[in-house]
Amino acid sequence: MTDAAAERRRRRLRRLLFKVHKWAGLLAGFWLLVLGATGIVLDHDEWRWARQITVPQSWVSPTVARLLPATRMRYVAVDSNDTRRWIGGSERGLWWTEDGGKVWLPVEFSGLDGEVPQVTSLVSREDGLAGVYLATDDGIWVTTDHGRRAARAFLDGVFVHQMTTGSTADELVGIVGHDRVFRLDLRDPGAVTYQSFHDVQVSGLPEHVSLYRFVFDLHFGYGIGNRTVSTLLNDYAGFALIVLAVSGFLFWWFPRRWRRATHAIDAQYKKGVFNWLYRCHAPIVGLLALLPIGYLALTAIPMSHVGGFGTWAQDVMLPRRALTPVYQYGSLRGELDHVVAYPNDKRRLSVGTRFGVLHTFDGGKTWQADAAVPRSRGNLFRVGAATFFSDIGSHFFRPADDEGWQPLEGLLTGVTHGVQVGEQWLLKNSQGFHLGTLDGGLEPSDIAVMPALPGSTLYLFLIEIHVGLIVHRQFKWVNDLVSVFALLLVITGPILWWRTKWR
């Protein structure tokens, strides 16, 4: 083949790739922009406004609306002297009742002018509802006036992801940034100590990870590096989708607008516009976004069909040591979801992670994965002498620190908190309240009614948009097609860029 013939073939291929790139972008651009914008918000549980702004409940489908009860209340405290008196909180705020939930009123947070923080944990230290410590996205608060008000206590402005009773009755232990465990002595509030676990040895980890979990982690920002790195990659992909969709559309639209102009457009001006659009689109934003957009598009397809894919992919096992470094657990940076401390032993901790419960007995140098409970994310918390672990489908309790895990019967969805009422236990999950004994089983109870908060959170509404349910429940097939177009853009983009690297 002559050089001239080879050049003609390259030009034809380039024209074909350009057409594929152009039409894939034009057909999918708007929805990719929507996916990018909503994905950024959904990556950030800590953004209070998304969790507390509400929209009419009619805006969300029944599929998403079933998640609403969980947003109304996750954590509870009960006055042991009068079981009609409660406080309960969630990311949407904190409320109190004196009649078993017939009327709920918002707890007043002193100095916030009607604003309320996200509540992430309640720690009761007394029989009544005064003196309950609240972990929030704005530090630690404490209730006053029988639970009707809350005042600032410690760590102002710090997002406390979870908190529990410490090694003594006067100590609080919690998690900040999914990275550090803090210990706070209530007798000496200035003496807050932090501990990180960045160079650790973890034994007992599973040798294999299911394909389902790996795909899930990749798409939701847990699968590349630590939580901060993975979230930044996903955020950049969302930002890039917005920029690429807008710049690509303008690249196509400007020539058509200029052709219809009633007066001539300066050639240098047009060249300058095209140059800046190209630079933003390809070498500045596009190239850096190839990896995150690629894995998000690739994993979005199975995530749209989580039922069928999940059933199959749960049985497809990947060697853990062949996966990204975050699965090797040489560091627990960004891996801490929950913490449990133990009486009179500051060196002993249990933490909830993506691999289930890890225990340390030497202050965090070495950790052992607990094989008696599922090695997956779940809710780990302590109430009195009992410790609980609960995920979507399995629930366990340990009645005392030197006893093994036992199954909890009568629950369907994950338990988030609980209290002991006399000889019985009251556990809270997304369905409501379950009452009974730990070894005899629990049943749904109407001992209290959750607050009837109006509307749906903006966060859930954005999920509705992101997965396409706002259009139709079968919109997942359109999402699949858009993901294929995104993959075509990722493949053709760098090939086209290679010839014109800068303009």
Side-chain angles (χ1 to χ4, degrees):
M1 182 184 296
T2 65
D3 291 344
E7 179 63 24
R8 285 195 297 271
R9 287 190 62 180
R10 285 194 292 269
R11 288 179 180 176
R12 284 197 298 269
L13 177 60
R14 180 175 174 79
R15 285 196 296 269
L16 175 62
L17 292 176
F18 181 79
K19 287 181 180 179
V20 170
H21 193 85
K22 179 180 73 172
W23 286 107
L26 289 174
L27 291 171
F30 171 74
W31 196 247
L32 287 173
L33 184 151
V34 171
L35 292 173
T38 54
I40 290 173
V41 180
L42 296 177
D43 272 346
H44 293 273
D45 295 347
E46 71 274 14
W47 288 355
R48 183 191 299 178
W49 57 271
R51 296 301 189 113
Q52 293 187 350
I53 292 175
T54 58
V55 300
Q57 187 170 334
S58 60
W59 289 14
V60 299
S61 65
T63 302
V64 172
R66 65 184 174 84
L67 303 175
L68 270 174
T71 70
R72 294 172 184 161
M73 187 176 292
R74 299 186 191 273
Y75 316 101
V76 294
V78 180
D79 187 340
S80 60
N81 299 315
D82 184 353
T83 55
R84 297 172 302 172
R85 297 173 56 84
W86 291 56
I87 59 173
S90 70
E91 63 268 32
R92 298 178 71 173
L94 187 69
W95 303 270
W96 63 273
T97 181
E98 294 182 328
D99 54 14
K102 294 178 182 177
V103 177
W104 288 93
L105 296 172
V107 171
E108 178 187 330
F109 285 83
S110 301
L112 287 191
D113 239 359
E115 200 178 348
V116 294
Q118 297 187 74
V119 175
T120 60
S121 297
L122 302 181
V123 177
S124 301
R125 298 179 61 251
E126 302 172 3
D127 292 336
L129 295 182
V132 177
Y133 284 91
L134 318 172
T136 77
D137 63 353
D138 186 12
I140 300 172
W141 297 66
V142 62
T143 58
T144 60
D145 192 17
H146 304 291
R148 299 179 182 181
R149 293 178 176 80
R152 288 190 182 275
F154 318 108
L155 304 182
D156 296 2
V158 175
F159 196 123
V160 181
H161 288 93
Q162 188 254 344
M163 188 171 69
T164 186
T165 304
S167 302
T168 68
D170 294 314
E171 184 183 55
L172 297 175
V173 172
I175 292 174
V176 171
H178 297 288
D179 286 327
R180 298 179 294 165
V181 169
F182 70 83
R183 291 184 179 271
L184 190 153
D185 190 338
L186 297 174
R187 296 166 300 184
D188 184 12
V192 182
T193 60
Y194 291 91
Q195 187 175 11
S196 299
F197 309 107
H198 293 168
D199 185 11
V200 299
Q201 294 180 351
V202 183
S203 59
L205 292 174
E207 292 302 316
H208 293 84
V209 174
S210 71
L211 175 62
Y212 175 81
R213 181 191 291 191
F214 183 60
V215 168
F216 184 96
D217 285 353
L218 274 180
H219 196 79
F220 286 86
Y222 308 127
I224 299 294
N226 63 56
R227 192 181 302 244
T228 301
V229 170
S230 293
T231 300
L232 282 174
L233 280 172
N234 278 19
D235 285 353
Y236 181 74
F239 165 77
L241 286 174
I242 296 171
V243 173
L244 295 174
V246 172
S247 59
F249 173 77
L250 292 177
F251 210 97
W252 170 83
W253 178 72
F254 270 129
R256 284 151 182 79
R257 179 178 179 274
W258 290 333
R259 282 198 296 267
R260 294 194 300 268
T262 57
H263 59 281
I265 307 296
D266 181 70
Q268 287 299 113
Y269 171 77
K270 290 193 290 186
K271 182 180 178 181
V273 169
F274 274 129
N275 287 347
W276 276 109
L277 284 175
Y278 178 81
R279 292 167 190 171
C280 290
H281 189 85
I284 295 178
V285 174
L287 286 177
L288 295 177
L290 292 176
L291 172 65
I293 290 177
Y295 71 69
L296 285 174
L298 192 61
T299 56
I301 297 173
M303 293 307 299
S304 294
H305 306 273
V306 67
F309 170 76
T311 304
W312 168 75
Q314 289 282 13
D315 296 326
V316 178
M317 307 307 292
L318 307 174
R320 178 178 59 82
R321 296 193 180 280
L323 300 180
T324 53
V326 73
Y327 289 91
Q328 312 314 318
Y329 266 35
S331 167
L332 298 184
R333 185 193 300 269
E335 295 293 310
L336 306 178
D337 294 321
H338 304 90
V339 63
V340 164
Y342 295 89
N344 306 314
D345 190 351
K346 288 183 177 291
R347 292 172 60 80
R348 183 180 180 185
L349 288 173
S350 298
V351 294
T353 71
R354 80 171 70 207
F355 284 121
V357 180
L358 307 182
H359 305 289
T360 182
F361 297 88
D362 57 10
K365 295 179 181 177
T366 61
W367 296 82
Q368 172 69 42
D370 197 324
V373 294
R375 299 183 191 186
S376 60
R377 279 195 170 89
N379 297 317
L380 175 70
F381 61 94
R382 184 184 181 95
V383 181
T387 305
F388 298 83
F389 178 83
S390 176
D391 62 10
I392 294 176
S394 52
H395 322 282
F396 300 85
F397 76 99
R398 197 170 58 193
D401 299 337
D402 56 352
E403 298 186 44
W405 293 101
Q406 301 177 33
L408 276 170
E409 304 295 341
L411 298 164
L412 293 178
T413 59
V415 177
T416 53
H417 200 214
V419 293
Q420 192 167 10
V421 182
E423 297 298 318
Q424 293 188 305
W425 281 85
L426 187 73
L427 298 184
K428 176 73 183 66
N429 67 2
S430 62
Q431 294 182 326
F433 302 97
H434 287 68
L435 186 66
T437 59
L438 298 183
D439 53 1
L442 298 108
E443 295 183 353
S445 171
D446 59 358
I447 188 171
V449 180
M450 288 192 293
L453 302 180
S456 165
T457 62
L458 177 61
Y459 188 88
L460 290 183
F461 180 59
L462 292 178
I463 293 177
E464 180 96 358
I465 296 173
H466 194 78
V467 300
L469 285 171
I470 192 172
V471 181
H472 193 274
R473 63 179 303 176
Q474 295 301 325
F475 194 83
K476 58 188 178 182
W477 300 104
V478 176
N479 266 352
D480 290 349
L481 183 60
V482 169
S483 296
V484 171
F485 284 151
L487 290 171
L488 288 174
L489 292 168
V490 166
I491 294 169
T492 58
I495 298 174
L496 294 171
W497 165 82
W498 189 255
R499 186 179 179 92
T500 308
K501 297 181 177 65
W502 190 260
R503 292 178 61 168

